[in-house]
């Protein structure tokens, strides 16, 4: 079954490239196929203290869609699947009912992104497939509900109440221009906060939890598609750096065939490994 499925995925990728439209693929009065995603990620790891090398490859496809029931009510859904050389097959999905009685107010219910989750890249985007360690500390979607109010094109407030397994949590998100701060508090007192700041030249994600773990990732984007990155986590209780990577990326874009991606070179200071990376996605 698995061996038959992989050629089908590759065929889908090639077909998507030919059709060449990855966003707003189809839109009518009711149905919208807003995104088709496919990405290929290859990493090669070299140990600096030996001649050993390791390799990993993963491939992801995803779809995002919606169905409008009337002017105020719609279903929204997305799903993605990832096949990896060294990991089990992973699936990601969301399904929600959204009520939008006015242009500024909306209500959502289902298995959806919490107000905190939205600081993490959506799994049907390339940023998700190569997300940073700091971004990965943000929880995925949960069953629950949220309401959002848009004050202006640059300001929004979102509140949600979501199930975290044994406990429920209150979530809050405040977005103002390029800044977004969010977090949640569980019924047992545990909490989590996240901050995101995005500009064309600088992208930053910071998270902190009641377990005293501080995670930070940052990209400094310079000219000609070059970008420098740092990705780290510090554990205050153990008083040690648990994760630290620094690296550089060279972004590429082949508009004629609707392909983008990057070549990357990263050093992991904890494992003392050099990581070479090739990432290609439809764009």
């Amino acid at each position: 079954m698995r061996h038959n499925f992989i050629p089908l995925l590759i065929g889908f990728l090639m077909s998507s490239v030919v059709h060449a439209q990855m966003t707003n693929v189809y839109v009518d009065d009711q149905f919208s196929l807003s995104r088709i995603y496919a990405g290929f990620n290859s990493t090669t790891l070299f140990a600096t203290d030996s001649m050993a090398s390791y390799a990993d490859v993963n491939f992801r496809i995803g779809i995002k869609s919606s169905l409008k029931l009337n002017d105020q009510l719609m279903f929204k859904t997305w799903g993605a699947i990832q096949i990896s050389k060294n990991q089990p097959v992973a699936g990601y999905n969301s399904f929600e009912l959204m009520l939008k009685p006015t242009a500024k107010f909306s209500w959502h219910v289902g298995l959806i992104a919490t107000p905190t989750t939205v600081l993490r890249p959506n799994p049907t985007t390339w940023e998700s497939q190569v997300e940073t360690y700091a971004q990965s500390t943000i929880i995925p979607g949960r069953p629950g509900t949220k309401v959002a109010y848009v004050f202006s094109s640059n300001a929004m407030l979102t509140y949600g109440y979501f199930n975290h397994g044994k406990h429920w949590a209150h979530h809050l998100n405040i977005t103002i221009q390029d800044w977004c701060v969010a977090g949640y508090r569980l019924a047992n007192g545990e909490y989590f906060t996240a901050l995101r700041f995005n500009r064309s030249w600088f992208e930053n994600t910071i998270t902190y939890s009641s377990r005293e773990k501080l995670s930070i990732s940052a990209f400094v984007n310079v000219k000609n598609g070059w970008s420098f990155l740092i990705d780290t986590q510090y554990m205050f209780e153990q008083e040690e750096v648990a994760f630290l990577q620094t690296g550089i990326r060279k972004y590429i874009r082949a508009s004629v065939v609707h392909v983008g991606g990057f070549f990357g070179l990263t050093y992991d200071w904890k494992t003392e490994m050099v990581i070479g990376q090739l990432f290609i996605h439809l764009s």
Side-chain angles (χ1 to χ4, degrees):
M1 181 75 180
R2 180 186 176 111
H3 296 290
N4 292 332
F5 187 55
I6 294 177
L8 289 176
L9 292 179
I10 296 174
F12 175 83
L13 171 61
M14 298 307 297
S15 174
S16 299
V17 172
V18 172
H19 286 85
Q21 191 176 15
M22 298 302 102
T23 58
N24 297 323
V25 180
Y26 178 82
V27 180
D28 63 23
D29 292 339
Q30 289 186 310
F31 174 70
S32 169
L33 181 57
S34 57
R35 182 181 299 144
I36 295 177
Y37 172 77
F40 175 85
N41 184 33
S42 174
T43 54
T44 306
L45 296 84
F46 303 93
T48 58
D49 58 352
S50 69
M51 295 297 293
S53 63
Y54 310 90
D56 188 26
V57 175
N58 60 67
F59 177 73
R60 182 185 295 190
I61 60 172
I63 291 177
K64 187 177 182 181
S65 181
S66 64
L67 179 66
K68 191 174 182 181
L69 304 178
N70 56 44
D71 291 338
Q72 299 178 348
L73 198 63
M74 72 167 59
F75 288 117
K76 298 178 69 177
T77 184
W78 56 260
I81 186 171
Q82 179 167 307
I83 296 176
S84 303
K85 175 185 176 183
N86 299 325
Q87 299 291 335
V89 175
Y92 316 86
N93 64 286
S94 173
F95 192 92
E96 70 176 278
L97 176 66
M98 183 180 80
L99 174 66
K100 193 172 184 179
T102 71
K104 293 183 175 292
F105 177 81
S106 63
W107 171 72
H108 312 250
V109 63
L111 175 58
I112 57 179
T114 75
T116 310
T117 307
V118 296
L119 275 74
R120 186 175 181 176
N122 183 280
T124 61
T125 64
W126 71 265
E127 292 91 345
S128 172
Q129 192 172 353
V130 290
E131 68 181 1
T132 65
Y133 185 86
Q135 290 171 332
S136 72
T137 64
I138 302 172
I139 65 166
R142 290 284 191 271
T145 184
K146 64 182 178 181
V147 292
Y149 187 82
V150 178
F151 294 93
S152 68
S153 59
N154 296 319
M156 182 173 67
L157 177 67
T158 309
Y159 166 79
Y161 192 57
F162 286 84
N163 181 265
H164 285 232
K166 295 182 179 180
H167 301 281
W168 286 79
H170 297 275
H171 287 251
L172 189 66
N173 178 303
I174 301 172
T175 301
I176 301 176
Q177 294 184 340
D178 301 315
W179 296 87
C180 184
V181 59
Y184 61 83
R185 184 178 179 86
L186 295 169
N188 65 357
E190 293 184 7
Y191 63 86
F192 180 92
T193 59
L195 171 70
R196 183 183 67 197
F197 175 75
N198 279 355
R199 283 278 180 90
S200 59
W201 63 275
F202 184 71
E203 305 168 44
N204 180 221
T205 299
I206 302 173
T207 70
Y208 182 78
S209 73
S210 55
R211 298 180 180 180
E212 298 186 339
K213 295 180 181 180
L214 174 67
S215 303
I216 302 173
S217 66
F219 291 87
V220 179
N221 304 315
V222 294
K223 295 181 179 180
N224 301 319
W226 289 96
S227 182
F228 298 93
L229 69 96
I230 182 170
D231 193 13
T232 186
Q233 182 182 79
Y234 184 79
M235 304 174 69
F236 286 92
E237 185 176 350
Q238 289 80 8
E239 297 184 345
E240 68 172 359
V241 175
F243 184 89
L244 177 59
Q245 289 186 349
T246 55
I248 188 170
R249 290 178 179 178
K250 168 58 177 174
Y251 289 96
I252 56 175
R253 185 175 179 85
S255 301
V256 176
V257 291
H258 297 268
V259 167
F262 62 82
F263 283 79
L265 188 64
T266 304
Y267 185 71
D268 190 310
W269 295 84
K270 296 295 292 183
T271 62
E272 298 182 341
M273 299 191 98
V274 176
I275 305 169
Q277 185 176 13
L278 168 63
F279 176 62
I280 298 293
H281 64 91
L282 299 182
S283 63

